[in-house]
Amino acid sequence: MFTGIITAVGRIVEVRALGDSGAHGKQLLIETPAGYLDDVGLGDSIALNGACMTATQIDAATGRFAIDISAESLARTAGLDQPGPINLEKALRAHDRLGGHIVSGHVDGIGQVTHFAPVGESWELRVLAPRELAKYLAYKGSITVNGVSLTVNRVSDTAEGCEFSINLIPHTVQNTALHALAVGAAVNLEIDLIARYVERMLSSAGVAGAGSS
């Protein structure tokens, strides 16, 4: 489990093919800030742009680690198939503060940035989410964008999907890889876990009610 509070901005420095066909995944080599891997062991979970991955190689001396990502995961995520900056979060420990919201590290869909521009001292980020995620997005609700826990300020349903707006304070822009976003960029989205369970309870209650009549 994670919280959506980014603990470092790393960089994918190398992408290696694990096979010679589209059915094979990739191995990613990620560079981290000095000391970031001091408490990380083989097999530990680290979220990369919001996607939970397993550290398969660690070189704390050089601040680099590797993960293997399947072709299926590559097809369902964004930003994990090429070199570039990446948001990192280590798995939540039992005694850690829950500063963001409960995040599983499982990407629910890929959104597209439609607007990213400064507004006063802050930045406004708008993202078009797939239509199937619209029912999970609500004003002042939580959403994870590339692993960052954020609060929805506005929601607008469109023919193409559901566009939501977020206000980013300077600290978030400066201390995450969100500063590298541009209009048209693909981003990983994870909906609020509580919203997922509420939707399931309501749908199952409707089926139970129909069966008892």
Side-chain angles (χ1 to χ4, degrees):
M1 302 299 292
F2 304 90
T3 69
I5 302 300
I6 301 307
T7 52
V9 176
R11 176 172 288 274
I12 299 175
V13 294
E14 189 174 347
V15 179
R16 305 166 179 163
L18 293 176
D20 55 6
S21 77
H24 293 92
K26 307 284 187 183
Q27 182 183 72
L28 309 184
L29 182 63
I30 298 111
E31 187 174 70
T32 69
Y36 187 75
L37 299 175
D38 288 351
D39 62 347
V40 176
L42 286 176
D44 282 0
S45 295
I46 299 179
L48 312 181
N49 271 2
C52 179
M53 298 292 161
T54 300
T56 56
Q57 298 178 26
I58 297 175
D59 187 344
T62 62
R64 294 183 172 191
F65 73 98
I67 65 101
D68 293 340
I69 180 170
S70 68
E72 172 73 8
S73 293
L74 284 169
R76 296 182 178 275
T77 59
L80 301 181
D81 58 351
Q82 58 189 354
I86 193 166
N87 291 319
L88 303 176
E89 183 186 355
K90 300 172 186 176
L92 180 67
R93 295 171 295 190
H95 64 279
D96 285 340
R97 289 187 176 94
L98 187 60
H101 68 283
I102 298 174
V103 176
S104 68
H106 298 149
V107 176
D108 292 302
I110 296 176
Q112 183 179 49
V113 175
T114 58
H115 178 86
F116 187 46
V119 179
E121 77 287 353
S122 301
W123 288 69
E124 182 187 18
L125 172 65
R126 295 182 213 151
V127 177
L128 181 66
R131 185 178 291 105
E132 59 267 23
L133 298 186
K135 60 185 175 183
Y136 301 109
L137 299 171
Y139 174 64
K140 295 305 180 185
S142 296
I143 183 72
T144 305
V145 178
N146 274 359
V148 185
S149 172
L150 298 167
T151 301
V152 176
N153 286 336
R154 188 170 65 251
V155 180
S156 177
D157 292 313
T158 70
E160 295 79 19
C162 179
E163 185 182 61
F164 62 91
S165 175
I166 291 168
N167 179 71
L168 299 176
I169 62 174
H171 177 85
T172 301
V173 175
Q174 296 163 8
N175 291 278
T176 70
L178 295 183
H179 68 267
L181 292 178
V183 172
V187 290
N188 295 320
L189 303 177
E190 182 183 336
I191 60 173
D192 186 3
L193 190 64
I194 295 174
R196 191 197 313 273
Y197 279 113
V198 169
E199 192 275 337
R200 174 59 181 160
M201 286 187 289
L202 290 175
S203 63
S204 63
V207 172
S212 60
S213 60

